[in-house]
Amino acid sequence: FIPFIQKERDPEEPKTKSVRRLSKKVIYEIEIPEVKSVDDIAISQIQNSIEIKAIGKTKSYFKILPVGLPVLKFELEKGILSLELGTKD
């Protein structure tokens, strides 16, 4: 008996569900349906962009947002990652 070994797949780019600009912040909502916990998400600020990596049960996700705004907070609810970004004003 040889156990099933799943090959690591190339990361998938998740879809941006919505982008909303409010008075002092910008909210990005990104669909990452297989990810169950914020512990499975890595968010990095890189010069003028934000890099998002997430790992689900059978998929991994990778996305770069071309914005140079600071990440104020993020949360995961029902497969939707909500990123709250500050504005420069």
Side-chain angles (χ1 to χ4, degrees), residues 21-89:
R21 179 168 171 99
L22 306 174
S23 62
K24 300 253 183 215
K25 59 187 171 184
V26 176
I27 309 290
Y28 270 86
E29 291 184 333
I30 300 167
E31 297 177 2
I32 49 176
E34 290 196 5
V35 180
K36 301 297 181 201
S37 167
V38 292
D39 295 333
D40 297 325
I41 302 169
I43 298 175
S44 304
Q45 193 87 39
I46 302 173
Q47 291 182 338
N48 290 323
S49 64
I50 297 168
E51 180 182 87
I52 301 165
K53 296 178 185 177
I55 298 173
K57 188 172 182 176
T58 62
K59 292 182 183 178
S60 61
Y61 300 93
F62 179 79
K63 187 170 189 82
I64 293 180
L65 301 177
V67 294
L69 302 174
V71 177
L72 301 177
K73 69 178 186 176
F74 65 93
E75 62 186 22
L76 179 67
E77 186 174 330
K78 296 181 182 175
I80 304 292
L81 173 65
S82 296
L83 278 173
E84 185 177 310
L85 309 178
T87 59
K88 292 185 178 182
D89 0 293

